[in-house]
Amino acid sequence: MPSREEVAYFGAGPAPLPTSVVEAGAKAFVNYNDSGLGLAEISHRSPTANKILEDAKNSLRTLYDVPDNYEILFMQGGGSGQFSAVVQNLVSIYVERRRRQAEEDFIKTNPDADKQTIADLVALKLRKEVEEDLKVDYIVTGSWSLKASQEAARLLGPKYVNVAVDAREHNDGKFGKIPPEDTWKLTPTRKEQGKGSAYVYYCDNETVDGVEFPGFPKSLEAQGGGEGDERMIVADFSSNFLSRKVDVSKYAVIFGGAQKNVGIAGISIVIIRKSLLPPETASPPPSLLHTFNVGGLPGSIVLDYAITAKNNSLYNTLPIFNLWIAAEVMADLVKKHGDKKIGGQEEIANKKAKLIYGVLDKYPQVYNVVPEKSVRSRMNICFRVHGGDEQKEKEFLTGAEKKFLQGLKGHRSVGGIRASNYNAVPMENVERLVKYLDEYASGQ
């Protein structure tokens, strides 16, 4: 049996963890800090759990320079759970902001009307506006953003979902590129047509298809026309979390499942602008939401951002062991990179990806990188061997396994080869993979 040091694991998730964290976790699972209890056994409301929670928040704030006007939440359900959470929370916020504006307008024009009359007029106006104007925008560039858009359509109804981009339409029916931004069909902002989408969603890195946005999309930049003219940007960072610098202030919500770069499956991380939480913004009354012809509202209480924030991520039982793993990983990054913060990890991630893509490009007759060069993922490197020849790819994987290079098989939906270059994959393991890629191609 191979030792942990002998295996170079490139699986897409659950992904490898730093060995030091795994070893410390084994002890903490049995007896945490000589308390006689393991971390999976302690109360999630205990002082110990609260300290772990605060440590995790502080490390993340440090790494990403999270502004003070943002809250950090730890939830359950992974990235897929956030597909639903985004819908129920941000559409509710969209409704509440319009409700407040309508109420203010009616009070001005009907100063003598009683509260019930105002409430009835507001509800009538809102139902009409939601029916006619509500849209959520999705930029679909891979399998996960596609699933997110499908979940929005399932919850709300297809008429409310605007797929502003479907990259397959620009790439012979397959994912692998991000179309030019001048082809995106985003819902116009309110300033332009008195309307606007509840939010715009995109996935920053597509694990299955090996596509990563090279930077923040220019068409989503703030327009400078005030709150009503700004798009609410939501980004799924599940598979490139903590791998490069991010300007958090550009986003309404950032989320990610933990099991790629941060920890183990079981928790998700949400960074949300505080203005979207009470007291600045509250969810509209459930009784009002029930009157709309829109599904998915008000939604599950355990996915409610406001409830989660109010209860410091402890409304229901948060898996503290999972949180502790994430906190240890982040603390290790803080210690490792110092003043460089996440920029230090970005340098390493870029260097590792450059080595792998370099050897793949060196042998174009053997290897074919799937995505377009300008949008190649640094985290999930997807390629085919001999044009996708099934037997050749099987031989390639068998040869890799013999050298303890594991987790290289592509996602079942697309096949091929995928080397996931997450933070915990050490440089020496990347060098081992590069050596094998070179040897394999030279022998063909």
Side-chain angles (χ1 to χ4, degrees), residues 394-410:
K394 186 176 180 180
E395 291 173 1
F396 174 88
L397 290 170
T398 299
E401 288 280 345
K402 289 179 180 178
K403 294 181 178 293
F404 299 126
L405 301 170
Q406 298 180 3
L408 289 167
K409 188 175 182 180

Side-chain angles (χ1 to χ4, degrees), residues 276-298:
L276 304 179
L277 300 169
E280 292 188 56
T281 303
S283 296
S287 57
L288 174 62
L289 294 174
H290 291 157
T291 66
F292 297 155
N293 186 31
V294 178
L297 301 177

Side-chain angles (χ1 to χ4, degrees), residues 73-85:
L73 311 176
F74 295 97
M75 304 177 72
Q76 295 176 62
S80 295
Q82 289 304 310
F83 295 165
S84 307

Side-chain angles (χ1 to χ4, degrees), residues 81-135:
Q82 289 304 310
F83 295 165
S84 307
V86 163
V87 174
Q88 75 172 57
N89 285 280
L90 294 194
V91 172
S92 293
I93 288 167
Y94 168 91
V95 171
E96 175 61 11
R97 286 182 167 178
R98 287 184 167 229
R99 185 194 71 77
R100 290 186 182 186
Q101 186 61 54
E103 184 177 74
E104 184 180 316
D105 292 344
F106 278 123
I107 289 173
K108 285 181 180 178
T109 56
N110 301 275
D112 298 324
D114 59 72
K115 288 185 178 180
Q116 188 57 54
T117 300
I118 293 292
D120 291 342
L121 289 170
V122 167
L124 187 65
K125 184 175 189 293
L126 276 179
R127 282 196 292 271
K128 185 174 186 296
E129 285 187 353
V130 169
E131 175 70 22
E132 294 178 357
D133 296 346
L134 174 63
K135 289 293 180 186

Side-chain angles (χ1 to χ4, degrees), residues 20-197:
S20 61
V21 173
V22 173
E23 291 173 342
K27 295 178 181 179
F29 193 79
V30 176
N31 187 355
Y32 181 65
N33 284 354
D34 296 322
S35 65
L37 289 174
L39 270 179
E41 300 169 302
I42 67 170
S43 168
H44 64 298
R45 302 192 190 282
S46 66
T48 298
N50 274 276
K51 184 178 186 309
I52 293 169
L53 183 61
E54 284 308 304
D55 288 347
K57 284 186 179 182
N58 289 337
S59 291
L60 184 54
R61 285 194 181 280
T62 297
L63 290 168
Y64 267 159
D65 285 319
V66 177
D68 290 340
N69 63 324
Y70 280 77
E71 185 61 82
I72 296 170
L73 311 176
F74 295 97
M75 304 177 72
Q76 295 176 62
S80 295
Q82 289 304 310
F83 295 165
S84 307
V86 163
V87 174
Q88 75 172 57
N89 285 280
L90 294 194
V91 172
S92 293
I93 288 167
Y94 168 91
V95 171
E96 175 61 11
R97 286 182 167 178
R98 287 184 167 229
R99 185 194 71 77
R100 290 186 182 186
Q101 186 61 54
E103 184 177 74
E104 184 180 316
D105 292 344
F106 278 123
I107 289 173
K108 285 181 180 178
T109 56
N110 301 275
D112 298 324
D114 59 72
K115 288 185 178 180
Q116 188 57 54
T117 300
I118 293 292
D120 291 342
L121 289 170
V122 167
L124 187 65
K125 184 175 189 293
L126 276 179
R127 282 196 292 271
K128 185 174 186 296
E129 285 187 353
V130 169
E131 175 70 22
E132 294 178 357
D133 296 346
L134 174 63
K135 289 293 180 186
V136 293
D137 286 359
Y138 280 78
I139 298 170
V140 176
T141 54
S143 299
W144 290 112
S145 49
L146 176 62
K147 286 180 182 292
S149 70
Q150 291 170 338
E151 176 65 356
R154 187 184 73 86
L155 292 174
L156 297 175
K159 67 171 283 187
Y160 298 110
V161 179
N162 172 44
V163 176
V165 181
D166 186 337
R168 295 172 296 181
E169 296 175 358
H170 301 258
N171 196 41
D172 297 325
K174 296 180 180 180
F175 293 120
K177 66 187 302 183
I178 297 176
E181 292 188 35
D182 60 9
T183 67
W184 297 7
K185 299 176 182 177
L186 296 164
T187 301
T189 59
R190 292 187 220 174
K191 182 180 178 181
E192 292 168 326
Q193 293 191 8
K195 300 182 181 180
S197 60

Side-chain angles (χ1 to χ4, degrees), residues 239-356:
S239 53
N240 63 351
F241 212 82
L242 300 181
S243 73
R244 68 179 182 188
K245 290 183 282 188
V246 172
D247 184 351
V248 173
S249 67
K250 293 180 181 291
Y251 300 88
V253 176
I254 288 171
F255 72 82
Q259 69 276 15
K260 311 289 188 181
N261 271 337
V262 191
I264 58 178
I267 61 169
S268 50
I269 302 171
V270 177
I271 305 174
I272 180 171
R273 196 175 291 148
K274 287 182 179 178
S275 62
L276 304 179
L277 300 169
E280 292 188 56
T281 303
S283 296
S287 57
L288 174 62
L289 294 174
H290 291 157
T291 66
F292 297 155
N293 186 31
V294 178
L297 301 177
S300 169
I301 197 167
V302 297
L303 294 178
D304 190 299
Y305 293 154
I307 293 292
T308 303
K310 181 181 178 181
N311 290 275
N312 192 30
S313 298
L314 298 172
Y315 175 78
N316 60 328
T317 308
L318 192 67
I320 298 302
F321 179 74
N322 306 52
L323 177 64
W324 180 85
I325 292 287
E328 288 293 298
V329 169
M330 290 189 285
D332 185 61
L333 288 173
V334 171
K335 182 179 179 181
K336 181 178 181 180
H337 298 302
D339 292 341
K340 284 188 174 182
K341 301 179 182 179
I342 212 60
Q345 189 59 43
E346 182 175 14
E347 291 175 6
I348 295 171
N350 291 349
K351 185 176 180 180
K352 292 191 296 177
K354 185 177 181 180
L355 285 173
I356 299 172

